[in-house]
Amino acid sequence: MTEAVKVLIIEDDPFISDLLELYLVQEGFLVSMAYDGEAGWEMYYDEAPDFVILDIMLPKMDGWEVCREIRRDERQVPILMLTGKGESYDKIKGLQLGADDYVVKPFEPKEIIARMQAILRRTSPYKHERKSLYFENMQIDVQQHQLLRKNESVILPSKELELLYFLALEKNQVFTRQQLVDSIWGYDYEGDVRTIDVHIKRIREKIGDEWPYWKLKTIRGVGYKFEVNDHV
């Protein structure tokens, strides 16, 4: 990393917070900590972190609500959620609210760091190489983290924007869920490939389609593609 990444840990267990801080500082991250959701929400706006580690079960304001509020910020800072539960409901809900990844307690601090680094690679790779993409009534600009639909800004969490950009860049090419997970989440991702379905559904809800010019299409039994009609 050429510039220190500021991490905000919102976790009410001091042991977990202190342990994460120790490992993160050793890796060169700058760390701030909050011990309840309300304080974490305030620190998010006061300190403008580059990354948030967010527990679900928090006093005063739970992690779901904090995540929801953070996702209203145009900066779309990456969020890694911590949960003591392993149920798929918690995982899917976190992704639907815009979290980039989740880790179930107990965990190894090194796993947190590995997942953080993977998220950071995915949410800000190739910034100087990637270009804006233009389609009928839509512009995707990942450098500015901006999506314009009919000249109006549409806010997408970083993972959704990455996924849409990847599919649009490789227009008319079909990708399986596993290929998309490997490309966007990384080969070390151990979560469920159905994550893709959740994100595709949310993207469609926000951008719709512009057929006969373009649409985000499901290829039944295979995966997805961003279909563009080059003959219109």
Side-chain angles (χ1 to χ4, degrees):
M1 297 179 191
T2 58
E3 186 176 332
V5 174
K6 295 186 292 183
V7 180
L8 172 60
I9 301 172
I10 309 176
E11 164 64 65
D12 63 331
D13 186 330
F15 174 78
I16 293 177
S17 293
D18 292 345
L19 184 63
L20 286 174
E21 180 188 28
L22 176 65
Y23 276 81
L24 289 171
V25 169
Q26 288 177 346
E27 292 292 326
F29 293 95
L30 299 176
V31 179
S32 299
M33 293 186 289
Y35 299 100
D36 65 69
E38 191 173 284
W41 170 233
E42 292 174 356
M43 288 182 68
Y44 175 81
Y45 273 99
D46 289 342
E47 304 196 8
D50 304 306
F51 198 102
V52 176
I53 298 177
L54 176 63
D55 187 29
I56 291 177
M57 303 301 292
L58 292 168
K60 297 186 180 181
M61 185 177 180
D62 67 30
W64 303 129
E65 190 175 355
V66 175
C67 182
R68 190 179 293 110
E69 292 298 327
I70 289 175
R71 277 294 165 256
R72 292 177 180 171
D73 180 13
E74 291 185 358
R75 294 197 306 131
Q76 297 298 298
V77 169
I79 299 173
L80 174 65
M81 297 199 80
L82 306 179
T83 174
K85 303 176 183 179
E87 289 85 355
S88 60
Y89 169 79
D90 284 332
K91 301 171 184 177
I92 292 173
K93 183 174 180 179
L95 295 171
Q96 288 176 332
L97 289 175
D100 294 272
D101 202 351
Y102 56 86
V103 174
V104 178
K105 299 176 184 177
F107 53 77
E108 289 290 333
K110 290 183 179 179
E111 179 188 2
I112 296 291
I113 291 171
R115 287 182 179 272
M116 287 179 60
Q117 291 172 336
I119 291 169
L120 290 168
R121 286 196 301 270
R122 295 192 304 265
T123 54
S124 57
Y126 321 122
K127 280 189 174 179
H128 302 294
E129 299 175 15
R130 299 190 297 177
K131 60 184 180 180
S132 294
L133 300 179
Y134 298 88
F135 301 96
E136 185 74 18
N137 286 323
M138 184 168 71
Q139 176 187 353
I140 309 170
D141 187 338
V142 285
Q143 283 192 321
Q144 301 298 322
H145 198 99
Q146 185 178 56
L147 173 66
L148 294 179
R149 184 77 173 92
K150 297 181 179 178
N151 293 319
E152 293 186 1
S153 178
V154 177
I155 296 177
L156 292 183
S158 55
K159 192 64 69 268
E160 291 175 16
L161 187 64
E162 285 288 325
L163 180 57
L164 177 60
Y165 180 85
F166 179 81
L167 286 166
L169 184 65
E170 305 294 340
K171 64 180 184 177
N172 294 323
Q173 182 171 340
V174 180
F175 292 92
T176 66
R177 291 172 179 82
Q178 189 61 59
Q179 287 174 324
L180 292 172
V181 164
D182 292 343
S183 299
I184 308 301
W185 277 257
Y187 292 99
D188 55 352
Y189 180 71
E190 297 177 355
D192 196 323
V193 295
R194 289 178 297 176
T195 292
I196 294 296
D197 300 334
V198 174
H199 287 289
I200 291 289
K201 180 176 181 292
R202 288 175 60 83
I203 293 170
R204 281 178 173 152
E205 289 172 351
K206 294 173 182 176
I207 69 169
D209 66 60
E210 196 74 24
W211 199 250
Y213 299 100
W214 58 262
K215 63 181 175 181
L216 193 52
K217 185 174 182 179
T218 300
I219 307 301
R220 191 172 299 277
V222 182
Y224 299 97
K225 72 173 178 178
F226 187 82
E227 185 169 5
V228 175
N229 187 352
D230 293 320
H231 301 294
V232 177

